[in-house]
Amino acid sequence: MNLLFSLTSNDFVFQTFCTGGKGGQHRNAKQNGVRCIHPPSGAVAEHRDGRDQYKNKQEAFRKCCESVKFKNWHKLETLRRLGVLRNVEEEVDKQMAPEN
């Protein structure tokens, strides 16, 4: 069985930020919060609960992959690569026609 495609961390954009809120100097001075963005799908997720940036990055990535936007993109991309949908835009235009 061959893979249709694979995603790596290079396909996502990770941003760090100060989390703020309760916790004083540990939360306000360190870049612990992580935002995960998948540009092709527009899916965005962030995690800021822990004090460990690495764990926050993993959790943000998990949330991003479980988001509805990402799942819809993945489904369409899989269908496109299987050849089921030759042209996604053509299919959308057909579904959005006034007679529908």
Side-chain angles (χ1 to χ4, degrees):
M1 182 175 182
N2 293 333
L3 290 176
L4 290 175
F5 63 99
S6 65
L7 297 172
T8 65
S9 61
N10 294 333
D11 297 315
F12 294 82
V13 176
F14 292 96
Q15 300 173 341
T16 59
F17 56 91
C18 291
T19 56
K22 294 180 183 177
Q25 65 197 32
H26 292 293
R27 293 187 60 124
N28 296 330
K30 299 188 174 137
Q31 301 277 322
N32 292 340
V34 179
R35 183 176 298 113
C36 178
I37 305 167
H38 183 244
S41 67
V44 178
E46 62 182 43
H47 194 75
R48 61 175 71 210
D49 293 346
R51 287 173 57 183
D52 183 9
Q53 187 185 89
Y54 180 72
K55 288 181 181 176
N56 284 344
K57 184 177 181 179
Q58 288 178 325
E59 199 60 28
F61 178 76
R62 185 188 61 76
K63 286 180 179 179
C64 188
C65 291
E66 291 176 354
S67 71
V68 174
K69 274 187 170 183
F70 182 81
K71 286 181 178 181
N72 287 340
W73 173 84
H74 183 265
K75 192 181 300 182
L76 285 174
E77 188 66 18
T78 302
L79 291 173
R80 187 180 70 75
R81 291 185 185 217
L82 284 171
V84 175
L85 290 179
R86 291 279 179 225
N87 188 347
V88 175
E89 289 81 16
E90 184 179 301
E91 184 67 23
V92 169
D93 288 341
K94 221 179 349 178
Q95 295 293 325
M96 295 298 291
E99 62 269 6
N100 289 338

